[in-house]
Structure formats: structure tokens, C-alpha cells
Amino acid sequence: MHAIGARLKEYVYLTRLDRPIGIYLVLWPMLWALWLASNGEPDWLVFVVFVAGTILMRSAGCAINDFADRKIDGHVRRTRQRPLARGAIDAGEAVTVFAVLSLVAFGLVLLLNRLTILLSVVGVFLAASYPFMKRYTHLPQAYLGAAFGWAIPMAFGAQTGTVPAEAWLLFAANIFWALAYDTMYAITDREDDLKIGVKSAAILMGRFDRLGIGLMQVMTLGLLAVAGIHFGLGLVFYTGLIAATGFGVYEQYLIRDRDPKLSFQAFLNNHYFGMCIFSGIAVDYLVR
């Protein structure tokens, strides 16, 4: 029993269930979209499928990410204790975990309409291919935004049977948001990434990283404000947007000296940014 428990613990580490920040960063944009698509009254089957799918696909994404980075993680201080990097789990197991979790998520999507099923295929491709992008582009963060935000068009598809132009406004906002928060994350690994030749927006921006992150934050907030106009949201939503802006300013304070620990804390703080946006949307519909 002890051996089984130890093994299960390694799978928890592989899928990062002990570190749920990734779940939150996928969950909040999905909930933005679901509440907007349903005018604040989501279908509960859709809600349950999407929440479960968020957890499953983020966990699957971590498994395939560690498979892709199995020869890199051992050279990065922050990741050298991951299961594949220290040999506690082998590459085949990681791929199997990715496949099983993806299939379970796809099984849940089969309960929904045809458009959502078709969109989910794109979602699996994005999740599977994202981990390899850092080898080819300095902007893997943008690709991450697409992968993490693909639940946005899926939520509209599931709830309404169509994906309106306004949904892509939210999708674009999520890409800029991911560029901001994942560049904060990349600052923590910049020195190691430079040594091993891994690309990131933090490396691309160099000493202009804070400015770049700030511009991405402004773009995120601007696109969300425009989306609020298109969806007819009121004062409560914009109050949430102002609160999110406050968290964005705090994140700029945390990264002011590029300290790795504080930059990682700034990354984690984005959980509250996303929560503020959702709270503004949900309460805005509630008080009408």
C-alpha cells in the first residue's frame, strides 16, 4: 500500500494537482465565457462538463509538458525535482497519462453538441503541441494563451451553438493576459533558459520586460472593457475590472526588481485578477 501511495503521489506531482494555479488560469476565462454566453444562467450540464474538463485537460497538459521538457527540466533550478527530471516516472507513463486524461475529457464533451465536439479536437491539439513551442519561438506565451483560452469559443459553442465575434474579443484578451502572466513566470527561469537555449518572451523583451508586461496588461483590460460594452454589462462589471487593474498594478510592483521569487508570486497573483473579472460578470447579471 505504501508503494501504491508513493506512486500516486508522483502522478499528482506530474499533473500538478498539488499546484492548482494552472487550473485557475484556465477556469476563470472559461467561466467568463460561459456566463456571458448564457446571460448569467449557464446550462448546468455544460457547467459541470467544462469544470471537469478544465481540471482534466490542465492535468493532461502538465503531463505532456513534462514529457516534452524531460531533458530540460533537470537543468532548471525550479523544475529539477519534477518526476520525469529525477526519473521517478518514465516518458511512456507521462504520454499514457496525457492520453488517458484527454480521452476522459473527450468522453465528457461527447455529452454536448457537435460544434463543441469539433472545437475540442483543436483544444487537444493546442494542449499537446504547446510544450514544444519554446524551442521554435520567443513567444510560446501567446500559444499558451490560445491553449488556455480555447475553452472560450468552446463555451459559447456549447451554450449557444455558435461562436459570435464577441467571443473572439474574450479570446484575444486571454492571449494578452497569458503573455503578461507567463512572462512574469518566465522571468523566474530566465538565467537557466539562456544557458540551455530555451526561448521565452522574458528573454525576447530583455530589459523592457516590465514595459512589455504592462502593455499586455493594458491590452487585456482594454479588450475586456470593449467586450463588456458588446455584452451590455454595467457598473458592477467595470468595478470588477477596476479591482483587476489594482491587482495588475500590484504585480508590476512585485516584478520591479526582477527577483525570481517575487516574479513567481506576481504570476500566482493572476488567480485574483481572473477572479475579479468573473465576479464582476457574475454579480452584474445577478443584480439585474
Side-chain angles (χ1 to χ4, degrees):
M1 289 297 292
H2 177 73
I4 294 174
R7 198 69 181 162
L8 288 174
K9 187 178 288 186
E10 295 296 345
Y11 285 123
V12 168
Y13 295 152
L14 174 70
T15 55
R16 299 283 208 277
L17 287 172
D18 59 321
R19 297 185 177 186
I21 180 62
I23 293 174
Y24 301 147
L25 294 176
V26 180
L27 182 70
W28 293 124
M30 179 276 289
L31 291 176
W32 305 345
L34 193 55
W35 252 249
L36 290 170
S38 64
N39 293 315
E41 297 180 351
D43 180 284
W44 287 103
L45 173 62
V46 175
F47 174 80
V48 170
V49 167
F50 271 76
V51 170
T54 293
I55 297 168
L56 288 165
M57 287 308 299
R58 187 268 180 166
S59 300
C62 290
I64 201 65
N65 181 79
D66 284 11
F67 167 77
D69 289 349
R70 65 193 184 281
K71 296 180 181 178
I72 294 174
D73 282 344
H75 301 284
V76 178
R77 281 167 293 180
R78 186 181 52 79
T79 60
R80 61 177 53 136
Q81 292 303 313
R82 286 179 177 174
L84 264 75
R86 54 186 168 79
I89 286 177
D90 64 43
E93 287 178 281
V95 173
T96 300
V97 168
F98 170 77
V100 169
L101 293 177
S102 298
L103 285 171
V104 173
F106 185 68
L108 290 173
V109 172
L110 292 177
L111 298 171
L112 306 177
N113 60 34
R114 184 172 180 269
L115 175 59
T116 311
I117 294 168
L118 293 173
L119 288 169
S120 73
V121 176
V122 179
V124 172
F125 172 78
L126 290 170
S129 55
Y130 157 69
F132 300 92
M133 290 299 107
K134 67 183 73 172
R135 292 156 178 79
Y136 306 108
T137 175
H138 277 97
L139 293 174
Q141 287 76 19
Y143 202 91
L144 176 72
F148 272 25
W150 196 248
I152 292 171
M154 284 184 64
F156 276 91
Q159 188 67 48
T160 69
T162 185
V163 183
E166 292 83 359
W168 298 111
L169 267 177
L170 283 182
F171 184 70
N174 190 72
I175 289 178
F176 283 110
W177 184 35
L179 273 163
Y181 67 64
D182 206 47
T183 302
M184 298 173 196
Y185 186 90
I187 290 173
T188 68
D189 296 335
R190 181 157 47 192
E191 290 184 16
D192 290 327
D193 287 346
L194 282 166
K195 292 175 185 176
I196 59 181
V198 170
K199 297 177 173 64
S200 76
I203 292 172
L204 178 67
M205 294 177 189
R207 64 191 179 93
F208 299 106
D209 50 2
R210 286 188 65 202
L211 174 61
I213 290 169
L215 290 173
M216 297 307 110
Q217 290 173 316
V218 169
M219 288 298 298
T220 302
L221 292 163
L223 286 168
L224 287 170
V226 173
I229 294 170
H230 278 277
F231 285 102
L233 298 176
L235 181 62
V236 175
F237 167 72
Y238 290 99
T239 301
L241 203 62
I242 291 169
T245 302
F247 281 111
V249 172
Y250 176 57
E251 289 155 16
Q252 281 288 329
Y253 172 75
L254 289 173
I255 64 172
R256 67 194 183 283
D257 297 321
R258 284 86 171 179
D259 179 83
K261 289 183 179 179
L262 291 177
S263 296
F264 188 71
Q265 186 179 333
F267 161 72
L268 295 175
N269 188 76
N270 280 274
H271 166 45
Y272 302 107
F273 181 101
M275 182 191 296
C276 286
I277 302 300
F278 174 67
S279 298
I281 293 169
V283 177
D284 197 278
Y285 280 117
L286 197 62
V287 299
R288 293 186 182 192

